[in-house]
Amino acid sequence: MGDVGPATRHAAPGTATGKRGAVVAALMLSMALAALDSTIVSTAVPQIVGDLGGFSVFSWLFSGYLLAVTVTLPVYGKLSDTFGRKPVLVAGTVVFLLGSLLCALAWNMGALIAFRVVQGLGGGALQGTVQTLAADLYPLKERPKIQSKLSTVWAVSAVAGPGVGGLLAAYADWRWIFLVNLPVGAVALWLIVRHLHEPERESAVASPARARADVDWAGALAVFACGGVLLTALVQGGVAWPWRSAPSLALFAAGLALAALVVVIERRAAQPIIPGWVWRRRTIAAVNLALGALGLVMVAPTVFLPTYAQAVLELDPVTAGFVLSVWTLSWPVSAALSQHVYRRIGFRDTALLGIGAATLVLLAFPFLPYPGQAWQPAALMLLLGAALGLFQLPLIVGVQSTVGWSERGTTTASVLFCRQTGQTVGASVFGAVANGVLAARLGGAGDLDSVTRALDAGPAPEATRHAVADAVYAVYLGASCAAALAFLVLLCVAPRRFPVLGSQATEDERASA
């Protein structure tokens, strides 16, 4: 079938049922918990460090959470296909709220980092299962509605998170940034339990003992260990220790050994956590690779633009944050309007149009005048958000529409896993690029972290401003290469027309297709 096959206006067989408006509200609240987490915590770091100490390891407040979310995505995806979305989402929400409560009770930095990992174990279920349920609730024709709502949640969180976190840290206590999750999560949990009803399915509900026996727990543990080790090597390499040091080499060696173990276990498992068909099907493989490249692209603005705005443009931190946040205005609008494009030219060609435009925008950044005005990078960010909204949403909607209910959780989780991994790899690679340029321009006298800390003491010297500008230009050039790679992957690997199912197929319909 072509990209956009026939779709009904009612929930199709096999989708989640109940009061759809209440369920959508629950999904938006659940997504808000995950979306607000990093942005709201970042502004309270000075108060947290001042109270608990541990400045040398505070970055693990973010790295630990990110690692837990990333490595659990494939596990939760498979579990949601086996037992249903509701139990996985309920369990994930409970774990996230437990982690939030424990974070608020933390007595030192080590305990807070450990409890952030607990939060991340729940956050992985929130991110993956919410996106999967969004596809279950809506037929293909209406799916952009829920996706645009979820995009809006991320946009609002990106803008509001730092302000809310700063206010709570300044006028209340940093522990409230975790406690505010409790009432929001409780409402989401109540709506899910009361209004989300999934039809019984033979694979899980009719035989829970058999479903539990079929779960590849050995594979889940191996995937978790492999992902944790490799991502730790990427996050800490070049930061806590040099890339070619003994800790880096040991972690990478252990990660590769665990990756080989994952392959062996998954080949023998009856129901593998990461099934081979995720990579054997052209459409899913192409979307995974393309969104992995998107993760790389997103690092350039989110990590490096604020430093550029403060060091080069000499903006205060709040204004620098607004330069970045403008892309959250155009991204959801573009995503919502993308349906009018992909219904005419297809999912792949719409995504090609978006990532092609993003490549040009990223390439334009190094040509900005020095030092320039704040509106210039802000205008590019506005265009970049519009381009990426046109790129990401058609791919997610399209790939979810090529599989039935029993494969949608695994497919969605694989897409999100690749994007998260791309961001982790991008932060490491582009961080090394930026530090290399700075070292060359400043005679080895500093790196981006030292420049960022020095900004608190006052404006950067002219030589440092030029060095930061060159470093960020190099990062944006690298991001444009990642965007071009995504373009080539879609052009050469993805089929021109996604093999969309004719309806929201049930597991039995998919098995017989």
Side-chain angles (χ1 to χ4, degrees), residues 260-281:
L261 179 62
V262 168
V263 172
V264 172
I265 292 175
E266 295 300 84
R267 282 184 172 179
R268 295 179 178 178
Q271 296 291 333
I273 290 293
I274 303 179
W277 55 259
V278 168
W279 293 104
R280 287 195 297 268
R281 297 181 193 174

Side-chain angles (χ1 to χ4, degrees), residues 132-174:
T132 305
L133 266 169
D136 289 344
L137 283 168
Y138 285 81
L140 175 57
K141 186 176 180 180
E142 299 181 38
R143 203 164 291 160
K145 293 181 180 179
I146 181 62
Q147 289 292 349
S148 63
K149 290 177 181 178
L150 295 178
S151 296
T152 301
V153 170
W154 280 99
V156 172
S157 299
V159 175
V164 173
L167 287 173
L168 289 174
Y171 297 104
D173 187 272
W174 63 264

Side-chain angles (χ1 to χ4, degrees), residues 79-111:
L79 291 178
S80 74
D81 284 343
T82 303
F83 296 105
R85 326 297 189 211
K86 183 174 181 177
V88 172
L89 185 56
V90 168
T93 304
V94 170
V95 171
F96 185 91
L97 295 180
L98 175 62
S100 298
L101 178 60
L102 291 173
C103 285
L105 300 175
W107 53 90
N108 59 36
M109 184 62 75

Side-chain angles (χ1 to χ4, degrees), residues 33-99:
L33 290 175
L36 274 170
D37 189 80
S38 294
T39 56
I40 199 172
V41 172
S42 61
T43 52
V45 165
Q47 288 76 15
I48 294 174
V49 171
D51 189 11
L52 301 180
F55 177 79
S56 61
V57 294
F58 84 87
S59 63
W60 273 99
L61 291 177
F62 308 98
S63 300
Y65 178 85
L66 175 65
L67 290 174
V69 169
T70 303
V71 300
T72 54
L73 277 168
V75 177
Y76 285 126
K78 183 62 179 179
L79 291 178
S80 74
D81 284 343
T82 303
F83 296 105
R85 326 297 189 211
K86 183 174 181 177
V88 172
L89 185 56
V90 168
T93 304
V94 170
V95 171
F96 185 91
L97 295 180
L98 175 62

Side-chain angles (χ1 to χ4, degrees), residues 138-364:
Y138 285 81
L140 175 57
K141 186 176 180 180
E142 299 181 38
R143 203 164 291 160
K145 293 181 180 179
I146 181 62
Q147 289 292 349
S148 63
K149 290 177 181 178
L150 295 178
S151 296
T152 301
V153 170
W154 280 99
V156 172
S157 299
V159 175
V164 173
L167 287 173
L168 289 174
Y171 297 104
D173 187 272
W174 63 264
R175 298 178 190 274
W176 279 99
I177 66 177
F178 298 107
L179 291 175
V180 294
N181 291 334
L182 301 183
V184 175
V187 173
L189 197 59
W190 179 78
L191 290 172
I192 292 165
V193 171
R194 183 175 177 83
H195 297 294
L196 176 59
H197 307 294
E198 295 184 287
E200 290 191 357
R201 305 175 197 282
E202 292 182 6
S203 61
V205 181
S207 182
R210 178 183 172 185
R212 283 192 293 270
D214 285 343
V215 173
D216 177 24
W217 295 115
L221 181 60
V223 168
F224 188 89
C226 177
V229 169
L230 286 176
L231 290 175
T232 299
L234 289 169
V235 168
Q236 294 297 96
V239 179
W241 48 69
W243 283 108
R244 288 179 288 183
S245 66
S248 274
L249 295 177
L251 283 172
F252 278 116
L256 292 176
L258 286 168
L261 179 62
V262 168
V263 172
V264 172
I265 292 175
E266 295 300 84
R267 282 184 172 179
R268 295 179 178 178
Q271 296 291 333
I273 290 293
I274 303 179
W277 55 259
V278 168
W279 293 104
R280 287 195 297 268
R281 297 181 193 174
R282 286 179 60 194
T283 305
I284 301 175
V287 172
N288 281 343
L289 292 172
L291 290 185
L294 173 63
L296 287 166
V297 168
M298 291 173 64
V299 168
T302 55
V303 176
F304 296 95
L305 185 60
T307 301
Y308 175 89
Q310 293 181 65
V312 179
L313 302 181
E314 297 186 326
L315 303 177
D316 62 83
V318 174
T319 307
F322 278 114
V323 172
L324 171 63
S325 67
V326 293
W327 78 336
T328 65
L329 303 177
S330 56
W331 190 317
V333 174
S334 174
L337 296 176
S338 66
Q339 61 178 310
H340 302 295
V341 183
Y342 68 64
R343 285 175 181 168
R344 290 180 176 272
I345 65 175
F347 293 120
R348 190 199 72 162
D349 290 349
T350 302
L352 284 172
L353 181 64
I355 199 62
T359 304
L360 296 177
V361 173
L362 291 165
L363 278 173

Side-chain angles (χ1 to χ4, degrees), residues 434-446 463-464 466-471 473-474:
N435 288 338
V437 173
L438 280 172
R441 298 293 186 272
L442 299 176
T464 302
H466 274 286
V468 170
D470 289 342
Y473 293 160

